[in-house]
């Protein structure tokens, strides 16, 4: 037992909920964010498939969503969340705003990673007659894999912080534990324990991401 108000089982359940929220949100956020990032790169002025209409629409939308603090986004889309999962509290309800929050963030990170690829590689691919799809799939993405891994690592850590904020509205997870049992009940032990859990989780993910990126860049 960690304190007079909470058990180790509750800590374990909260940790599992946090992992679920981060994992599911990262998966669906990546499904949306990675294509967003690719589109930003290939449709921008001078891109492989320059398209001012798509770029001028997608770029500001991503900027607008990214400019919203997560806690405000969380509250603002409560009706949509309730429509999708039929509730506005709990782990499942927190996943919806988390996906909306992280998708444009990943999109911007992917854009930055792809822009790091030397323009000479794209020019060489085009000179060999590669189609736009081939340029993206066989040249741009492979060259940016190491940077993309670090970008997704950053996004994952950002998600962990967002799940903690979701606890303020009953989103579940470690953040909810810290708010309900730590802050509201003035239990310092619970607050310290949740902080330690989050620090260990973040450090573990960052170390794993750095290791994978280094391994890939050696090839």
């Amino acid at each position: 037992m960690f304190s007079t108000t909470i058990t180790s089982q509750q800590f374990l359940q909260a940790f599992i909920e946090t992992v679920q929220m981060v994992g599911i949100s990262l998966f669906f956020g990546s499904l949306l964010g990675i294509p967003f990032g690719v589109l930003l790169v290939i449709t921008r002025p001078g891109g492989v498939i320059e398209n001012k209409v798509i770029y001028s629409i997608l770029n500001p939308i991503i900027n607008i969503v990214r400019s919203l603090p997560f806690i405000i986004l969380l509250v603002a889309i409560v009706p949509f969340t309730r429509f999708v999962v039929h509730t506005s509290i709990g782990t499942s309800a927190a996943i919806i705003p988390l996906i909306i929050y992280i998708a444009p963030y990943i999109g911007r990170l992917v854009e930055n990673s792809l822009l790091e690829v030397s323009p000479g590689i794209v020019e060489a691919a085009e000179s060999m007659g590669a189609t736009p799809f081939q340029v993206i799939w066989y040249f741009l993405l492979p060259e940016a894999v190491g940077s993309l891994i670090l970008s997704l690592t950053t996004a994952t850590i950002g998600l962990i912080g967002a799940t903690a904020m979701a606890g303020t509205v009953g989103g579940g997870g470690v953040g909810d534990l810290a708010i309900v049992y730590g802050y509201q009940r003035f239990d310092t032990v619970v607050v310290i324990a949740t902080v330690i859990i989050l620090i260990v989780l973040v450090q573990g993910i960052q170390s794993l991401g750095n290791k994978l990126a280094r391994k890939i860049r050696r090839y």
Side-chain angles (χ1 to χ4, degrees):
M1 183 169 295
F2 286 90
S3 71
T4 58
T5 59
I6 192 169
T7 65
S8 57
Q9 183 62 35
Q10 288 174 295
F11 264 99
L12 178 61
Q13 180 61 33
F15 178 77
I16 292 173
E17 289 174 351
T18 295
V19 172
Q20 287 176 337
M21 284 189 287
V22 171
I24 295 173
S25 301
L26 183 66
F27 176 75
F28 287 103
S30 297
L31 289 182
L32 294 171
I34 293 175
F36 286 167
V38 173
L39 277 174
L40 284 171
V41 171
I42 65 176
T43 61
R44 68 191 298 110
V48 178
I49 313 175
E50 183 176 339
N51 189 309
K52 293 182 180 179
V53 175
I54 293 178
Y55 184 80
S56 62
I57 293 175
L58 185 60
N59 189 54
I61 289 176
I62 288 178
N63 287 337
I64 290 171
V65 177
R66 286 190 64 219
S67 67
L68 294 175
F70 176 70
I71 191 67
I72 295 177
L73 176 65
L74 185 67
V75 175
I77 66 167
V78 163
F80 177 71
T81 300
R82 190 179 290 117
F83 172 76
V84 175
V85 296
H86 308 295
T87 182
S88 58
I89 59 174
T91 302
S92 58
I95 288 173
I96 303 302
L98 283 170
I99 293 173
I100 296 175
Y101 165 77
I102 204 62
Y105 186 52
I106 291 176
R108 194 61 77 187
L109 290 173
V110 169
E111 178 193 21
N112 292 335
S113 295
L114 294 179
L115 289 176
E116 290 177 2
V117 176
S118 172
I121 293 177
V122 175
E123 293 172 1
E126 291 176 333
S127 67
M128 291 187 290
T131 63
F133 174 80
Q134 290 173 331
V135 171
I136 297 166
W137 191 255
Y138 294 108
F139 295 89
L140 266 180
L141 291 176
E143 285 294 323
V145 168
S147 181
L148 287 172
I149 289 176
L150 292 178
S151 295
L152 290 178
T153 301
T154 300
T156 305
I157 293 172
L159 268 175
I160 294 174
T163 61
M165 285 187 282
T168 59
V169 292
V174 176
D176 187 51
L177 210 64
I179 296 296
V180 175
Y181 290 92
Y183 176 74
Q184 294 180 356
R185 300 187 183 185
F186 304 101
D187 194 329
T188 306
V189 175
V190 173
V191 174
I192 293 174
T194 54
V195 169
I196 292 173
I197 290 173
L198 291 174
I199 290 175
V200 170
L201 188 57
V202 167
Q203 291 298 320
I205 291 173
Q206 187 65 65
S207 297
L208 178 61
N210 291 343
K211 183 176 181 180
L212 287 175
R214 283 197 303 269
K215 184 176 181 180
I216 288 176
R217 283 172 169 172
R218 287 173 184 168
Y219 292 101

